[in-house]
Amino acid sequence: MDKMFVSPDTYIQGSGLLEHSAQYLEKLGKYVLIMSDEIVWDIVGNEFAEYLTNNDFKVEKVVFNGEASVQEIDRITKIAKDTKAEVVIGLGGGKTIDTSKGIALEANTKLVIAPTAASADAPTAGLSVLYTEEGVFDQYKFYPKHSDLVLLDTKVIANAPVRTLVSGISDAMATNIEAKATTMKHGVTMGNGAATFTGRAIAAECERVLWDHAFEAVESNKNKLVTPALDAIVEANTLLSGLGFENAGLAAAHAIHNGFTAVKGEIHHLTHGEKVAFGAMVELVLENTPHEVMDKYIEFWLTLDLPITMEDTHLDQLSEDELLQIGKLATAPDETMKNMPFEVTPEMVVNAMKAASAYVDSYRSSHTITPIFKRN
Ligand SMILES: [Zn+2]
């Protein structure tokens, strides 16, 4: 297997970036299609479109329907072709971004990704997670080319809900855990090659920045302030985590996250990053992580009120059979569970979920934890 490192062409991060982005965008084309969901249009989309129009861009505004599905990609691709768009801008959260990637490919345009939350590591990746129209995990779709430009406006992120930043921190914290497992296995990365030292170093640096600055960044976000800590975590959640997972590999944490889509229920009221937190906790149990190491992660997750027990994730409401369905989907042949350094069975997943939960409960009852953020 060949070593591989993949990334977007350009990544730019700054405070108030969208309001001075014309200089970067005009290199790609003046006919732009901006897609955003209704909420994002109100918060920042209309203002951004107006700014571009004032700078001599021709702007087509499209409302994204909320699901990253093949059907939605087809619908907006048609609009992009009809309006002869040169550039597609995905402005919003993970699903908006993932959909914009499919549209740019199908309509053969340049792709600009402008996240309005640092909630997951989708922005820099050359793949989308697609769902059925009912919201069930459908496929990882891989693209022949990465985005042309990623625009990360830290002022927008500072004003986004704190829960989105915390979710991104959680998604990012899984990056190095999964990269280490993949490395041990000599597994295949999401870029479909062997990991480079570069990819692995990025995943490790992602984790270091999180340990050092995550809590201060959350406090900044609570106060809607752009600070060096927030700036650091925006980069950790998007660039470091994004390049890290794509170039160093996913393993059990994300496979278990995808396994959750086998069941219905309240777990789906949790965000991607929140579900990944429990997936990562379960991965640590599968790996038989020494408790000094495990405790450090548990303390981190609980300080951010992340759901890392069966009760927190509402999985305690499911039957044994439903739990086994999660285990089966998480260990399906095309899942990233194959990057674990040992074979993992559906039963091992179920046992590890229960054991992780019991260990966290015991940790909680013997330690005082003061969360700096509450989800509700
Ligand atoms: Zn993720």
Side-chain angles (χ1 to χ4, degrees):
M1 186 167 41
D2 298 324
K3 281 187 171 183
M4 197 183 293
F5 183 86
V6 294
S7 73
D9 278 3
T10 306
Y11 175 95
I12 306 174
Q13 178 177 317
S15 181
L17 176 61
L18 292 182
E19 296 154 37
H20 59 264
S21 59
Q23 57 185 312
Y24 304 119
L25 289 167
E26 64 191 8
K27 293 173 189 161
L28 302 175
K30 286 272 191 177
Y31 282 62
V32 305
L33 180 150
I34 305 177
M35 55 163 294
S36 253
D37 64 33
E38 268 179 57
I39 298 168
V40 171
W41 273 118
D42 285 346
I43 299 170
V44 40
N46 288 320
E47 213 176 320
F48 180 46
E50 198 183 314
Y51 161 78
L52 290 181
T53 305
N54 291 341
N55 280 274
D56 305 323
F57 285 78
K58 187 182 170 298
V59 180
E60 180 70 24
K61 295 158 73 169
V62 176
V63 178
F64 170 55
N65 78 4
E67 195 51 84
S69 66
V70 172
Q71 290 84 348
E72 183 66 351
I73 290 173
D74 290 347
R75 181 181 75 86
I76 305 177
T77 296
K78 188 170 180 307
I79 301 171
K81 284 180 175 167
D82 289 350
T83 57
K84 298 193 166 46
E86 297 170 296
V87 184
V88 166
I89 303 178
L91 177 72
K95 291 197 178 197
T96 306
I97 288 166
D98 275 358
T99 307
S100 70
K101 293 174 187 173
I103 297 162
L105 175 76
E106 300 293 333
N108 195 22
T109 68
K110 302 283 186 189
L111 173 62
V112 176
I113 290 175
T116 51
S119 57
D121 50 20
T124 63
L127 61 105
S128 295
V129 185
L130 298 182
Y131 296 83
T132 65
E133 298 219 293
E134 291 73 41
V136 177
F137 175 71
D138 178 15
Q139 56 173 304
Y140 282 118
K141 186 167 170 59
F142 296 87
Y143 300 108
K145 195 186 162 306
H146 279 59
S147 63
D148 296 278
L149 178 59
V150 178
L151 293 175
L152 230 309
D153 188 333
T154 50
K155 199 168 94 185
V156 172
I157 307 298
N159 285 282
V162 180
R163 187 176 177 185
T164 58
L165 189 80
V166 169
S167 296
I169 289 169
S170 176
D171 198 29
M173 192 47 113
T175 303
N176 197 38
I177 293 172
E178 294 180 278
K180 284 195 284 192
T182 306
T183 297
M184 210 179 288
K185 169 76 178 213
H186 294 273
V188 57
T189 69
M190 298 308 276
N192 204 25
T196 54
F197 287 103
T198 311
R200 285 154 54 184
I202 286 171
E205 180 68 357
C206 178
E207 182 166 326
R208 187 194 66 77
V209 174
L210 294 170
W211 291 128
D212 286 354
H213 305 295
F215 297 165
E216 291 83 351
V218 170
E219 296 299 345
S220 303
N221 193 183
K222 279 154 93 174
N223 292 286
K224 302 188 191 306
L225 299 171
V226 177
T227 62
L230 183 93
D231 193 63
I233 291 304
V234 168
E235 186 182 335
N237 287 10
T238 48
L239 189 60
L240 290 169
S241 181
L243 296 182
F245 99 81
E246 196 172 14
N247 291 294
L250 293 177
H254 275 76
I256 290 164
H257 163 278
N258 292 339
F260 295 149
T261 66
V263 297
K264 291 190 167 43
E266 280 188 54
I267 183 161
H268 300 300
H269 296 155
L270 299 176
T271 65
H272 172 79
E274 288 160 1
K275 286 182 266 190
V276 167
F278 189 50
M281 178 64 212
V282 176
E283 179 170 332
L284 294 182
V285 170
L286 284 168
E287 291 170 347
N288 204 17
T289 304
H291 74 82
E292 296 90 344
V293 177
M294 190 125 76
D295 287 359
K296 208 176 150 204
Y297 286 103
I298 292 173
E299 183 83 31
F300 183 85
W301 285 320
L302 292 181
T303 302
L304 295 173
D305 196 27
L306 286 159
I308 52 170
T309 66
M310 302 280 281
E311 198 184 346
D312 293 344
T313 49
H314 313 288
L315 293 171
D316 61 337
Q317 301 163 1
L318 300 180
S319 68
E320 283 298 316
D321 186 57
E322 285 172 309
L323 293 177
L324 196 61
Q325 294 311 315
I326 293 173
K328 281 184 179 157
L329 191 55
T331 55
D334 57 345
E335 256 308 336
T336 56
M337 192 68 86
K338 63 178 181 283
N339 279 338
M340 291 298 281
F342 44 85
E343 198 198 338
V344 179
T345 64
E347 292 77 16
M348 284 167 72
V349 172
V350 176
N351 284 347
M353 289 197 294
K354 290 179 181 172
S357 187
Y359 186 71
V360 171
D361 281 339
S362 138
Y363 184 90
R364 245 187 200 140
S365 62
S366 55
H367 293 76
T368 308
I369 299 133
T370 313
I372 59 167
F373 161 75
K374 290 294 281 177
R375 255 177 298 137
N376 295 311

